Amino acid sequence: MKRYASKRCLAAILVCVAVFAFSGVGLAQDTIKLGVAGAHSGDLASYGIPSIRAAELVTKDINAKGGILGKKIELLLGDDACKPELATNVATKLVSDGVNVVLGHICSGATKAALNIYASASIPVMSPSATNTELTLSGDYPNFFRTIAYDDLQARLQVSFARDVLKVKRVACLHDKGDYGKGQSTLAKQFFEEAGIEVVLFEGVTPGAVDYSAIVQKIKRENVDLVVWGAYHPEASKIVTLMRKKKMDTPFMGADGIKDETFIKVAGEFAEGVFATGPRDNTKNPLFIAAKKAHQDAFGEDPGVFFPEAYSATLALLNAIEKAGSTDFDAVTKALRSEYVDTPVGSISFDQNGDAIGIGFSVYQVKNGVFTTIQ
Amino acid sequence: MEYFIELFFSGLTRGSIYALIALGYTMVYGIIQLINFAHGEIYMIGAFTALIVTGVLTYYGWPHLAIILIAAVLAIFYSAAYGWTMERIAYKPLRDAPRLSALISAIGASLFLQNYVLLAQTSDFLPFPSLISDFAFLDPVSNLFGTTDFLIYTTTGVVMALLTFLIKFTRVGKAMRATAQDRHMAMLVGIDVNRIISITFIIGSATAAIGGVLIASHVGQINFFIGFIAGIKAFVAAVLGGIGSLPGAVLGSLVLGWTEAFFTGYVSSDYEDVCAFVILVIILIFRPSGLLGRSGVQKV
């Protein structure tokens, strides 16, 4: 029943868009077709719906100004419910409907399944949410772009910062044995070793323990240049406090798990000088504020997850078509890789792999009791 | 050798922290054979009380020393009141019920208090101010232990000595021992058993509150869940030392603390808990009633 309803709804949207497009230009062929694919129903619909809304808002703006290259934008929706097997059907359908560029898909697995179909039809695809590292770094999908940082990026940023700025030789990687903490630390260890930096200590501490002085003594004995903490802030503040109380001035670096005001509140003066990586702060970007307001006006609620990324991806795709002067695959991908575009997630372009330049994580340092961006 | 000494003091800190909580555990068990799972929560409530009192008094600009003393005294009173009330509500009605019922009631009291603090306060970690300024005379050994570690060592020793004195040499202590040996016989010879049990809970809760204040200012942060993990470890330590025995609780705690510290130092902290519990099992195989526990004949 729900499926039926959503299909009718989808059909209604398509009819509206189509009517609008016909009335503007007169010929169906004279629209630029933007596919919006992802989970639009099912458990993960809340990840996919914001991307439809973002695409609608952006295209409404652009069509109101006369479209791009004299053509209106037409949206084609495809619902994969986050399932790889449905994603291939959606991709085939969109390709046969003559889509020019695709915003999607939402889940990494579904995206991977659909990409080859788009590749054989020479269609650029841009995901606002698929974070799987392989999608870009494997080099298998030259038609794929994304406006979200990939999974390994944070650990790679930590390593490059430690190597180039702090110039460390020996590090200790500590975590809390949990999924997030151990995963983060394992990646950091792998990249440190690839960068030729010795990881002399790789250990998990018991979260919630009353005292960490034994592990702190061990860090001291190993005489490391940097302690890299992979997990959350409660243990981090205990460890860094003990280190400073034992008169160790070894730098301490954490990930987004410690980039939290509570960390500074709890560790107090001992938090001073601690490094942390965390997502770049976009909330002061005027385009971000405008997009959020547009969403509130149109839908009466705050935007959902991945909305800014989807909004930015739509802008980037349409901008590239405009700059390229056509929907030709080579011209569009070249424009994506060379032109910068101002979006809610910052001024972005794309690298050879398809990852956005200018998004993702920053390095922060605690200075005078606040996290200050230093890189 | 220096590394060994550093680890020795790390273990001593952990062990003394466990001991401060384990003393109350083992005392209650000694008198009424009840594993008071809510003991860790009393410790947590003591820490929260001290935090609130400190916050208020700091706001009014009271001198540092007065804040520490008032916070500690109020925490002790408040926790003792909680201990007494909990005994009245959750354990006394079940005095003659099967032991398992009282145990379930204890777990219930523990969950109740945790959730109560969670709802009334916050789930987030709160910074606990370092009330005690660093002692200058400890500066040369600051790589081994700090001021709070030092206070924890001494307090643990003093509390253990005082409790031992109380039980061995006072009238109340004598009544406690009598109640522990045979509650009905104690009643027959004119001991107010209910009063003695209440006193036991009050004293046990007061020691937990002292632990709460000291440990919170050592760790520097508290939340509603700190009592659970510390309580479990302290319980293990009490069993290891021989539950019901005060010196046993301290010895068991120290053995546990040292095991964890040395294992972390020389092997890996990943498996410190595994190692600690392997040691526990081995000791209990050879000494089923713990290191200092009396292997008394089970009453039938």
Side-chain angles (χ1 to χ4, degrees), chain A residues 293-319:
Chain A
K293 181 155 188 315
H295 186 284
Q296 283 164 336
D297 292 344
F299 304 101
E301 57 183 17
D302 277 345
V305 68
F306 304 130
F307 174 79
E309 287 81 8
Y311 198 98
S312 307
T314 316
L315 280 177
L317 283 171
L318 297 179
N319 176 67

PDB file of all heavy atoms in Angstrom, chain A residues 293-319:
ATOM      1  N   LYS A 293      17.235  28.013   5.575  1.00  0.00           N
ATOM      2  CA  LYS A 293      16.049  28.853   5.664  1.00  0.00           C
ATOM      3  C   LYS A 293      15.071  28.486   4.540  1.00  0.00           C
ATOM      4  O   LYS A 293      13.861  28.374   4.752  1.00  0.00           O
ATOM      5  CB  LYS A 293      16.435  30.323   5.577  1.00  0.00           C
ATOM      6  CG  LYS A 293      15.242  31.230   5.685  1.00  0.00           C
ATOM      7  CD  LYS A 293      15.572  32.600   6.194  1.00  0.00           C
ATOM      8  CE  LYS A 293      14.294  33.373   6.459  1.00  0.00           C
ATOM      9  NZ  LYS A 293      13.306  33.250   5.366  1.00  0.00           N
ATOM     10  N   ALA A 294      15.618  28.248   3.318  1.00  0.00           N
ATOM     11  CA  ALA A 294      14.762  27.876   2.198  1.00  0.00           C
ATOM     12  C   ALA A 294      14.008  26.588   2.518  1.00  0.00           C
ATOM     13  O   ALA A 294      12.820  26.444   2.207  1.00  0.00           O
ATOM     14  CB  ALA A 294      15.601  27.703   0.942  1.00  0.00           C
ATOM     15  N   HIS A 295      14.720  25.639   3.159  1.00  0.00           N
ATOM     16  CA  HIS A 295      14.100  24.376   3.527  1.00  0.00           C
ATOM     17  C   HIS A 295      12.996  24.597   4.551  1.00  0.00           C
ATOM     18  O   HIS A 295      11.897  24.047   4.435  1.00  0.00           O
ATOM     19  CB  HIS A 295      15.160  23.425   4.085  1.00  0.00           C
ATOM     20  CG  HIS A 295      14.642  22.041   4.352  1.00  0.00           C
ATOM     21  ND1 HIS A 295      13.858  21.736   5.436  1.00  0.00           N
ATOM     22  CD2 HIS A 295      14.781  20.881   3.665  1.00  0.00           C
ATOM     23  CE1 HIS A 295      13.558  20.457   5.408  1.00  0.00           C
ATOM     24  NE2 HIS A 295      14.104  19.912   4.349  1.00  0.00           N
ATOM     25  N   GLN A 296      13.282  25.449   5.534  1.00  0.00           N
ATOM     26  CA  GLN A 296      12.282  25.723   6.571  1.00  0.00           C
ATOM     27  C   GLN A 296      11.043  26.383   5.967  1.00  0.00           C
ATOM     28  O   GLN A 296       9.912  26.047   6.305  1.00  0.00           O
ATOM     29  CB  GLN A 296      12.875  26.611   7.663  1.00  0.00           C
ATOM     30  CG  GLN A 296      13.779  25.834   8.611  1.00  0.00           C
ATOM     31  CD  GLN A 296      14.658  26.733   9.452  1.00  0.00           C
ATOM     32  OE1 GLN A 296      14.945  27.867   9.074  1.00  0.00           O
ATOM     33  NE2 GLN A 296      15.093  26.230  10.586  1.00  0.00           N
ATOM     34  N   ASP A 297      11.257  27.310   5.022  1.00  0.00           N
ATOM     35  CA  ASP A 297      10.120  27.996   4.406  1.00  0.00           C
ATOM     36  C   ASP A 297       9.288  27.038   3.576  1.00  0.00           C
ATOM     37  O   ASP A 297       8.057  27.096   3.575  1.00  0.00           O
ATOM     38  CB  ASP A 297      10.620  29.151   3.518  1.00  0.00           C
ATOM     39  CG  ASP A 297      11.231  30.255   4.354  1.00  0.00           C
ATOM     40  OD1 ASP A 297      10.989  30.249   5.580  1.00  0.00           O
ATOM     41  OD2 ASP A 297      11.956  31.102   3.792  1.00  0.00           O
ATOM     42  N   ALA A 298       9.979  26.142   2.859  1.00  0.00           N
ATOM     43  CA  ALA A 298       9.267  25.277   1.931  1.00  0.00           C
ATOM     44  C   ALA A 298       8.596  24.103   2.644  1.00  0.00           C
ATOM     45  O   ALA A 298       7.514  23.672   2.263  1.00  0.00           O
ATOM     46  CB  ALA A 298      10.218  24.772   0.856  1.00  0.00           C
ATOM     47  N   PHE A 299       9.253  23.566   3.679  1.00  0.00           N
ATOM     48  CA  PHE A 299       8.741  22.326   4.272  1.00  0.00           C
ATOM     49  C   PHE A 299       8.344  22.472   5.734  1.00  0.00           C
ATOM     50  O   PHE A 299       7.889  21.521   6.348  1.00  0.00           O
ATOM     51  CB  PHE A 299       9.770  21.202   4.120  1.00  0.00           C
ATOM     52  CG  PHE A 299      10.172  20.961   2.700  1.00  0.00           C
ATOM     53  CD1 PHE A 299      11.369  21.446   2.204  1.00  0.00           C
ATOM     54  CD2 PHE A 299       9.342  20.252   1.841  1.00  0.00           C
ATOM     55  CE1 PHE A 299      11.738  21.229   0.892  1.00  0.00           C
ATOM     56  CE2 PHE A 299       9.690  20.040   0.529  1.00  0.00           C
ATOM     57  CZ  PHE A 299      10.896  20.528   0.052  1.00  0.00           C
ATOM     58  N   GLY A 300       8.588  23.635   6.297  1.00  0.00           N
ATOM     59  CA  GLY A 300       8.138  23.885   7.666  1.00  0.00           C
ATOM     60  C   GLY A 300       8.901  23.121   8.733  1.00  0.00           C
ATOM     61  O   GLY A 300       8.395  22.938   9.837  1.00  0.00           O
ATOM     62  N   GLU A 301      10.113  22.630   8.418  1.00  0.00           N
ATOM     63  CA  GLU A 301      10.907  21.941   9.444  1.00  0.00           C
ATOM     64  C   GLU A 301      12.395  22.087   9.116  1.00  0.00           C
ATOM     65  O   GLU A 301      12.756  22.508   8.016  1.00  0.00           O
ATOM     66  CB  GLU A 301      10.526  20.469   9.529  1.00  0.00           C
ATOM     67  CG  GLU A 301      10.682  19.743   8.209  1.00  0.00           C
ATOM     68  CD  GLU A 301      10.228  18.291   8.272  1.00  0.00           C
ATOM     69  OE1 GLU A 301       9.518  17.932   9.210  1.00  0.00           O
ATOM     70  OE2 GLU A 301      10.614  17.538   7.371  1.00  0.00           O
ATOM     71  N   ASP A 302      13.224  21.707  10.079  1.00  0.00           N
ATOM     72  CA  ASP A 302      14.660  21.782   9.836  1.00  0.00           C
ATOM     73  C   ASP A 302      15.074  20.699   8.850  1.00  0.00           C
ATOM     74  O   ASP A 302      14.483  19.628   8.824  1.00  0.00           O
ATOM     75  CB  ASP A 302      15.424  21.593  11.160  1.00  0.00           C
ATOM     76  CG  ASP A 302      15.522  22.891  11.931  1.00  0.00           C
ATOM     77  OD1 ASP A 302      15.257  23.948  11.323  1.00  0.00           O
ATOM     78  OD2 ASP A 302      15.839  22.841  13.132  1.00  0.00           O
ATOM     79  N   PRO A 303      16.112  20.966   8.038  1.00  0.00           N
ATOM     80  CA  PRO A 303      16.545  19.952   7.066  1.00  0.00           C
ATOM     81  C   PRO A 303      17.069  18.693   7.738  1.00  0.00           C
ATOM     82  O   PRO A 303      17.596  18.734   8.854  1.00  0.00           O
ATOM     83  CB  PRO A 303      17.648  20.653   6.278  1.00  0.00           C
ATOM     84  CG  PRO A 303      17.924  21.939   6.925  1.00  0.00           C
ATOM     85  CD  PRO A 303      16.886  22.209   7.941  1.00  0.00           C
ATOM     86  N   GLY A 304      16.936  17.561   7.033  1.00  0.00           N
ATOM     87  CA  GLY A 304      17.418  16.291   7.560  1.00  0.00           C
ATOM     88  C   GLY A 304      18.903  16.105   7.282  1.00  0.00           C
ATOM     89  O   GLY A 304      19.578  16.993   6.763  1.00  0.00           O
ATOM     90  N   VAL A 305      19.381  14.905   7.601  1.00  0.00           N
ATOM     91  CA  VAL A 305      20.792  14.598   7.452  1.00  0.00           C
ATOM     92  C   VAL A 305      21.174  14.594   5.963  1.00  0.00           C
ATOM     93  O   VAL A 305      20.351  14.269   5.119  1.00  0.00           O
ATOM     94  CB  VAL A 305      21.091  13.240   8.146  1.00  0.00           C
ATOM     95  CG1 VAL A 305      20.429  12.099   7.405  1.00  0.00           C
ATOM     96  CG2 VAL A 305      22.573  13.009   8.280  1.00  0.00           C
ATOM     97  N   PHE A 306      22.390  14.980   5.656  1.00  0.00           N
ATOM     98  CA  PHE A 306      22.950  15.040   4.296  1.00  0.00           C
ATOM     99  C   PHE A 306      22.282  16.098   3.427  1.00  0.00           C
ATOM    100  O   PHE A 306      22.544  16.164   2.242  1.00  0.00           O
ATOM    101  CB  PHE A 306      22.863  13.685   3.562  1.00  0.00           C
ATOM    102  CG  PHE A 306      23.515  12.563   4.310  1.00  0.00           C
ATOM    103  CD1 PHE A 306      22.846  11.364   4.521  1.00  0.00           C
ATOM    104  CD2 PHE A 306      24.791  12.702   4.826  1.00  0.00           C
ATOM    105  CE1 PHE A 306      23.448  10.333   5.221  1.00  0.00           C
ATOM    106  CE2 PHE A 306      25.387  11.670   5.517  1.00  0.00           C
ATOM    107  CZ  PHE A 306      24.713  10.487   5.719  1.00  0.00           C
ATOM    108  N   PHE A 307      21.400  16.942   3.986  1.00  0.00           N
ATOM    109  CA  PHE A 307      20.773  17.985   3.167  1.00  0.00           C
ATOM    110  C   PHE A 307      21.806  18.968   2.618  1.00  0.00           C
ATOM    111  O   PHE A 307      21.816  19.236   1.405  1.00  0.00           O
ATOM    112  CB  PHE A 307      19.681  18.711   3.967  1.00  0.00           C
ATOM    113  CG  PHE A 307      19.092  19.886   3.256  1.00  0.00           C
ATOM    114  CD1 PHE A 307      18.132  19.711   2.269  1.00  0.00           C
ATOM    115  CD2 PHE A 307      19.513  21.175   3.545  1.00  0.00           C
ATOM    116  CE1 PHE A 307      17.593  20.798   1.597  1.00  0.00           C
ATOM    117  CE2 PHE A 307      18.979  22.265   2.872  1.00  0.00           C
ATOM    118  CZ  PHE A 307      18.022  22.076   1.893  1.00  0.00           C
ATOM    119  N   PRO A 308      22.717  19.496   3.461  1.00  0.00           N
ATOM    120  CA  PRO A 308      23.701  20.449   2.909  1.00  0.00           C
ATOM    121  C   PRO A 308      24.571  19.817   1.836  1.00  0.00           C
ATOM    122  O   PRO A 308      24.871  20.459   0.824  1.00  0.00           O
ATOM    123  CB  PRO A 308      24.557  20.842   4.125  1.00  0.00           C
ATOM    124  CG  PRO A 308      23.797  20.403   5.312  1.00  0.00           C
ATOM    125  CD  PRO A 308      22.900  19.296   4.899  1.00  0.00           C
ATOM    126  N   GLU A 309      24.945  18.539   2.042  1.00  0.00           N
ATOM    127  CA  GLU A 309      25.793  17.852   1.056  1.00  0.00           C
ATOM    128  C   GLU A 309      25.039  17.683  -0.262  1.00  0.00           C
ATOM    129  O   GLU A 309      25.597  17.853  -1.347  1.00  0.00           O
ATOM    130  CB  GLU A 309      26.243  16.484   1.583  1.00  0.00           C
ATOM    131  CG  GLU A 309      27.301  16.536   2.675  1.00  0.00           C
ATOM    132  CD  GLU A 309      26.724  16.825   4.048  1.00  0.00           C
ATOM    133  OE1 GLU A 309      25.484  16.839   4.191  1.00  0.00           O
ATOM    134  OE2 GLU A 309      27.515  17.036   4.991  1.00  0.00           O
ATOM    135  N   ALA A 310      23.740  17.316  -0.162  1.00  0.00           N
ATOM    136  CA  ALA A 310      22.947  17.104  -1.371  1.00  0.00           C
ATOM    137  C   ALA A 310      22.718  18.435  -2.091  1.00  0.00           C
ATOM    138  O   ALA A 310      22.786  18.511  -3.319  1.00  0.00           O
ATOM    139  CB  ALA A 310      21.612  16.458  -1.005  1.00  0.00           C
ATOM    140  N   TYR A 311      22.467  19.470  -1.327  1.00  0.00           N
ATOM    141  CA  TYR A 311      22.268  20.812  -1.899  1.00  0.00           C
ATOM    142  C   TYR A 311      23.533  21.218  -2.654  1.00  0.00           C
ATOM    143  O   TYR A 311      23.475  21.693  -3.796  1.00  0.00           O
ATOM    144  CB  TYR A 311      21.971  21.775  -0.752  1.00  0.00           C
ATOM    145  CG  TYR A 311      21.341  23.086  -1.165  1.00  0.00           C
ATOM    146  CD1 TYR A 311      19.954  23.269  -1.079  1.00  0.00           C
ATOM    147  CD2 TYR A 311      22.114  24.148  -1.599  1.00  0.00           C
ATOM    148  CE1 TYR A 311      19.364  24.470  -1.437  1.00  0.00           C
ATOM    149  CE2 TYR A 311      21.537  25.358  -1.966  1.00  0.00           C
ATOM    150  CZ  TYR A 311      20.157  25.517  -1.873  1.00  0.00           C
ATOM    151  OH  TYR A 311      19.585  26.708  -2.225  1.00  0.00           O
ATOM    152  N   SER A 312      24.670  20.988  -2.009  1.00  0.00           N
ATOM    153  CA  SER A 312      25.949  21.350  -2.623  1.00  0.00           C
ATOM    154  C   SER A 312      26.225  20.520  -3.864  1.00  0.00           C
ATOM    155  O   SER A 312      26.734  21.039  -4.863  1.00  0.00           O
ATOM    156  CB  SER A 312      27.088  21.144  -1.615  1.00  0.00           C
ATOM    157  OG  SER A 312      26.795  21.823  -0.436  1.00  0.00           O
ATOM    158  N   ALA A 313      25.887  19.220  -3.797  1.00  0.00           N
ATOM    159  CA  ALA A 313      26.138  18.346  -4.945  1.00  0.00           C
ATOM    160  C   ALA A 313      25.303  18.788  -6.138  1.00  0.00           C
ATOM    161  O   ALA A 313      25.793  18.821  -7.272  1.00  0.00           O
ATOM    162  CB  ALA A 313      25.824  16.893  -4.571  1.00  0.00           C
ATOM    163  N   THR A 314      24.041  19.145  -5.891  1.00  0.00           N
ATOM    164  CA  THR A 314      23.181  19.604  -6.983  1.00  0.00           C
ATOM    165  C   THR A 314      23.769  20.864  -7.618  1.00  0.00           C
ATOM    166  O   THR A 314      23.870  20.975  -8.845  1.00  0.00           O
ATOM    167  CB  THR A 314      21.762  19.907  -6.458  1.00  0.00           C
ATOM    168  OG1 THR A 314      21.371  18.847  -5.588  1.00  0.00           O
ATOM    169  CG2 THR A 314      20.774  20.021  -7.588  1.00  0.00           C
ATOM    170  N   LEU A 315      24.162  21.803  -6.755  1.00  0.00           N
ATOM    171  CA  LEU A 315      24.781  23.030  -7.264  1.00  0.00           C
ATOM    172  C   LEU A 315      26.017  22.730  -8.099  1.00  0.00           C
ATOM    173  O   LEU A 315      26.214  23.299  -9.176  1.00  0.00           O
ATOM    174  CB  LEU A 315      25.174  23.943  -6.090  1.00  0.00           C
ATOM    175  CG  LEU A 315      24.072  24.777  -5.448  1.00  0.00           C
ATOM    176  CD1 LEU A 315      24.637  25.543  -4.264  1.00  0.00           C
ATOM    177  CD2 LEU A 315      23.485  25.746  -6.467  1.00  0.00           C
ATOM    178  N   ALA A 316      26.861  21.814  -7.577  1.00  0.00           N
ATOM    179  CA  ALA A 316      28.117  21.500  -8.252  1.00  0.00           C
ATOM    180  C   ALA A 316      27.859  20.876  -9.619  1.00  0.00           C
ATOM    181  O   ALA A 316      28.498  21.237 -10.612  1.00  0.00           O
ATOM    182  CB  ALA A 316      28.957  20.566  -7.387  1.00  0.00           C
ATOM    183  N   LEU A 317      26.894  19.941  -9.687  1.00  0.00           N
ATOM    184  CA  LEU A 317      26.592  19.273 -10.956  1.00  0.00           C
ATOM    185  C   LEU A 317      26.067  20.267 -11.982  1.00  0.00           C
ATOM    186  O   LEU A 317      26.527  20.306 -13.128  1.00  0.00           O
ATOM    187  CB  LEU A 317      25.537  18.177 -10.725  1.00  0.00           C
ATOM    188  CG  LEU A 317      26.028  16.876 -10.087  1.00  0.00           C
ATOM    189  CD1 LEU A 317      24.840  16.001  -9.715  1.00  0.00           C
ATOM    190  CD2 LEU A 317      26.949  16.125 -11.045  1.00  0.00           C
ATOM    191  N   LEU A 318      25.105  21.095 -11.559  1.00  0.00           N
ATOM    192  CA  LEU A 318      24.501  22.028 -12.509  1.00  0.00           C
ATOM    193  C   LEU A 318      25.501  23.098 -12.941  1.00  0.00           C
ATOM    194  O   LEU A 318      25.547  23.494 -14.104  1.00  0.00           O
ATOM    195  CB  LEU A 318      23.240  22.643 -11.897  1.00  0.00           C
ATOM    196  CG  LEU A 318      22.142  21.613 -11.593  1.00  0.00           C
ATOM    197  CD1 LEU A 318      20.924  22.268 -10.969  1.00  0.00           C
ATOM    198  CD2 LEU A 318      21.741  20.854 -12.859  1.00  0.00           C
ATOM    199  N   ASN A 319      26.329  23.523 -11.984  1.00  0.00           N
ATOM    200  CA  ASN A 319      27.365  24.501 -12.307  1.00  0.00           C
ATOM    201  C   ASN A 319      28.330  23.940 -13.349  1.00  0.00           C
ATOM    202  O   ASN A 319      28.736  24.646 -14.290  1.00  0.00           O
ATOM    203  CB  ASN A 319      28.117  24.865 -11.028  1.00  0.00           C
ATOM    204  CG  ASN A 319      29.275  25.806 -11.304  1.00  0.00           C
ATOM    205  OD1 ASN A 319      29.056  26.943 -11.686  1.00  0.00           O
ATOM    206  ND2 ASN A 319      30.496  25.311 -11.132  1.00  0.00           N
TER     207      ASN A 319
END
